[in-house]
């Protein structure tokens, strides 16, 4: 054998060894907690128009009654279900509306305006166990926290010492905040802070790195809470963090997209690298992670796509938006995924396989929530 061939084989072997080492390298979250890697390339990918019947125990529908002005809305940007109530934020209308569990309209929270008790633009909201409602008014960089009681009566408004994206209540009148990457107030550069009821920082976790685009956001995310756990994720970060309802970090999940992962240097300027995003996948929002399922929204080939992972069968279901039966998976509670159907979603709603009263409700110009209880 020639020397040149031996050298080539040696170099090739060394390259393969390095690649193998990189692939098997354990990924650790920047916190001293357990980290589980979710390898998306290991799942059998199935594109489908519907949530698979094989994982559904029961399907039910909630017809939202928009018969009076206070509960009228046009888009569902953030949806949460708490205390047997349905809360919907329409960002464009700058309106937070509330329905009971049957879909009957209860009213709106707060008033938009210039008065001392008025807000300008609702950025995110949360609901405590006792029914109190909190939302962030993030206009002009001066973030304020509004509080209302369960009857939608104004309680207080307080200026916050930092700029933030999301909020969630904790036990003992405390809060967990997801801070903005451009925050110049307290805890600048931190991602997560735990505060008391006066917004004094008790704990701070995670640091923003340099690979952040402050001028472009992919998708709308929020804290997700189920089974006394809180999930935090910020696009395009591959990590999802799990906190207890006391604000203690419990576990991290690293979503590995392999060759489709967004390179770090291209995360700093998404618009400049927009064409390249046709080849990339990243996590846009996550609503459920447990031993059996994962669900949320992928930003895949520059399109938001709802997904469900059946971890027992090792299958990744991508809900094909072109053949969609419902829109994005927005929320999860009590092992139930929540999606919706909006007016005009189908050219001929009467031809769709849905209960007749649901089709009539949509044809009348109203929204319907779809509740998928998982097995």
């Amino acid at each position: 054998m020639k020397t040149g061939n031996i050298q080539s084989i040696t170099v090739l072997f060394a390259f393969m060894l390095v690649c193998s080492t990189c692939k098997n390298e354990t990924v650790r979250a920047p916190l001293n907690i357990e980290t589980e890697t979710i390898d998306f390339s290991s799942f059998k990918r199935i594109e489908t128009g519907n949530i698979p019947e094989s994982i559904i125990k029961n399907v039910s529908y909630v017809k939202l009654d928009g018969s009076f002005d206070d509960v009228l809305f046009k888009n569902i940007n953030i949806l949460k279900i708490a205390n047997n109530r349905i809360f919907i934020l329409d960002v464009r209308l700058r309106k937070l509306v509330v329905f009971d569990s049957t879909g009957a309209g209860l009213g709106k929270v707060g008033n938009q305006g210039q008065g001392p008790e008025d807000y300008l633009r609702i950025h995110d909201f949360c609901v405590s166990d006792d029914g109190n409602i909190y939302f962030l008014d993030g206009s002009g960089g001066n973030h304020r926290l509004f509080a209302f009681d369960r009857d939608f009566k104004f309680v207080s408004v307080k200026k916050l010492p930092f700029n933030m994206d999301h909020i969630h209540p904790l036990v003992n009148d405390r809060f967990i905040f997801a801070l903005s990457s451009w925050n110049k107030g307290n805890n600048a550069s931190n991602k997560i802070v735990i505060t008391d009821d006066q917004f004094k920082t008790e704990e701070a976790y995670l640091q923003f790195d340099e690979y952040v685009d402050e001028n472009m956001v992919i998708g709308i995310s929020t804290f997700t809470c189920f089974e006394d756990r809180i999930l935090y994720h910020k696009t395009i970060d591959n990590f999802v963090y799990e906190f207890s309802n006391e604000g203690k970090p419990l576990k991290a999940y690293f979503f590995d997209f392999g060759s489709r992962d967004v390179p770090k240097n291209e995360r700093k300027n998404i618009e400049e690298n927009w064409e390249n995003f046709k080849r990339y996948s990243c996590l846009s929002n996550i609503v459920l992670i447990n031993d059996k399922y994962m669900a949320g929204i992928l930003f895949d080939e520059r399109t938001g796509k709802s997904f469900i992972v059946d971890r027992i069968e090792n299958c990744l279901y991508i809900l094909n938006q072109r053949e969609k039966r419902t829109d994005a998976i927005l929320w999860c509670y009590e092992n139930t995924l929540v999606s919706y159907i909006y007016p005009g979603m189908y050219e001929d709603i009467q031809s769709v396989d849905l209960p007749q009263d649901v089709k009539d409700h949509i044809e009348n110009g109203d929204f319907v929530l779809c509740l998928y209880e998982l097995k």
Side-chain angles (χ1 to χ4, degrees), residues 161-228:
F162 35 60
N163 303 112
M164 84 304 297
D165 295 331
H166 308 298
I167 179 177
H168 192 83
L170 301 173
V171 296
N172 300 324
D173 297 322
R174 295 154 70 240
F175 295 94
I176 180 171
F177 290 96
L179 301 187
S180 305
S181 59
W182 48 269
N183 170 44
K184 303 302 181 184
N186 294 355
N187 302 101
S189 79
N190 281 119
K191 290 185 177 181
I192 294 290
V193 294
I194 310 298
T195 77
D196 61 18
D197 60 351
Q198 299 301 310
F199 316 123
K200 181 180 179 181
T201 300
E202 296 180 350
E203 298 285 350
Y205 301 106
L206 305 169
Q207 297 279 324
F208 283 103
D209 58 28
E210 61 181 296
Y211 305 106
V212 177
D213 187 340
E214 297 177 356
N215 299 311
M216 188 169 181
V217 178
I218 297 176
I220 297 179
S221 60
T222 185
F223 285 113
T224 301
C225 181
F226 62 97
E227 299 176 355
D228 294 327

Side-chain angles (χ1 to χ4, degrees), residues 91-366:
V91 172
R92 180 170 295 183
L93 290 185
R94 304 186 179 192
K95 193 174 183 181
L96 177 60
V97 298
V98 188
F99 300 84
D100 70 15
S101 59
T102 70
L106 298 178
K108 66 176 182 176
V109 183
N111 293 291
Q112 184 188 13
Q114 301 292 332
E117 298 181 2
D118 297 339
Y119 64 86
L120 294 176
R121 179 174 63 88
I122 302 175
H123 191 71
D124 191 26
F125 70 93
C126 65
V127 185
S128 64
D129 289 341
D130 56 8
N132 290 332
I133 304 159
Y134 302 89
F135 66 66
L136 302 173
D137 179 2
S139 296
N142 297 315
H143 285 199
R144 301 180 298 166
L145 182 68
F146 282 75
F148 296 82
D149 66 19
R150 64 176 292 108
D151 297 318
F152 316 146
K153 293 180 180 178
F154 176 84
V155 175
S156 65
V157 57
K158 298 178 181 179
K159 190 177 185 303
L160 294 170
F162 35 60
N163 303 112
M164 84 304 297
D165 295 331
H166 308 298
I167 179 177
H168 192 83
L170 301 173
V171 296
N172 300 324
D173 297 322
R174 295 154 70 240
F175 295 94
I176 180 171
F177 290 96
L179 301 187
S180 305
S181 59
W182 48 269
N183 170 44
K184 303 302 181 184
N186 294 355
N187 302 101
S189 79
N190 281 119
K191 290 185 177 181
I192 294 290
V193 294
I194 310 298
T195 77
D196 61 18
D197 60 351
Q198 299 301 310
F199 316 123
K200 181 180 179 181
T201 300
E202 296 180 350
E203 298 285 350
Y205 301 106
L206 305 169
Q207 297 279 324
F208 283 103
D209 58 28
E210 61 181 296
Y211 305 106
V212 177
D213 187 340
E214 297 177 356
N215 299 311
M216 188 169 181
V217 178
I218 297 176
I220 297 179
S221 60
T222 185
F223 285 113
T224 301
C225 181
F226 62 97
E227 299 176 355
D228 294 327
R229 293 176 294 148
I230 302 165
L231 295 181
Y232 163 76
H233 168 259
K234 184 174 179 65
T235 312
I236 304 172
D237 193 349
N238 293 58
F239 282 100
V240 174
Y241 296 94
E242 183 179 283
F243 291 82
S244 71
N245 60 7
E246 297 178 344
K248 180 181 178 181
L250 299 176
K251 186 175 180 179
Y253 301 86
F254 179 78
F255 284 73
D256 182 2
F257 295 97
S259 61
R260 298 188 60 83
D261 195 23
V262 182
K264 282 192 173 183
N265 63 321
E266 296 191 23
R267 301 180 185 192
K268 297 175 67 174
N269 193 326
I270 297 173
E271 185 176 6
E272 183 178 286
N273 298 287
W274 187 240
E275 188 66 23
N276 294 339
F277 273 71
K278 290 180 178 179
R279 306 191 301 268
Y280 302 148
S281 299
C282 64
L283 194 61
S284 177
N285 192 21
I286 189 75
V287 300
L288 169 66
I289 301 179
N290 61 24
D291 293 337
K292 296 179 67 175
Y293 303 108
M294 294 183 292
I297 300 175
L298 291 178
F299 191 71
D300 184 65
E301 299 173 340
R302 303 198 310 191
T303 303
K305 301 177 181 179
S306 293
F307 76 92
I308 302 171
V309 172
D310 183 337
R311 305 186 75 177
I312 305 300
E313 299 297 328
N314 208 44
C315 289
L316 166 63
Y317 296 100
I318 301 291
L319 303 191
N320 192 322
Q321 298 301 93
R322 291 168 302 194
E323 302 175 5
K324 60 187 176 182
R325 175 174 172 179
T326 60
D327 209 83
I329 296 173
L330 294 174
W331 192 249
C332 179
Y333 78 105
E334 298 178 356
N335 206 41
T336 299
L337 297 177
V338 183
S339 183
Y340 69 97
I341 303 175
Y342 58 85
M345 186 169 172
Y346 299 97
E347 291 184 4
D348 181 12
I349 186 63
Q350 294 297 336
S351 66
V352 181
D353 183 18
L354 291 167
Q356 188 60 48
D357 62 322
V358 170
K359 292 190 286 189
D360 293 343
H361 191 75
I362 297 167
E363 193 168 56
N364 192 45
D366 290 308

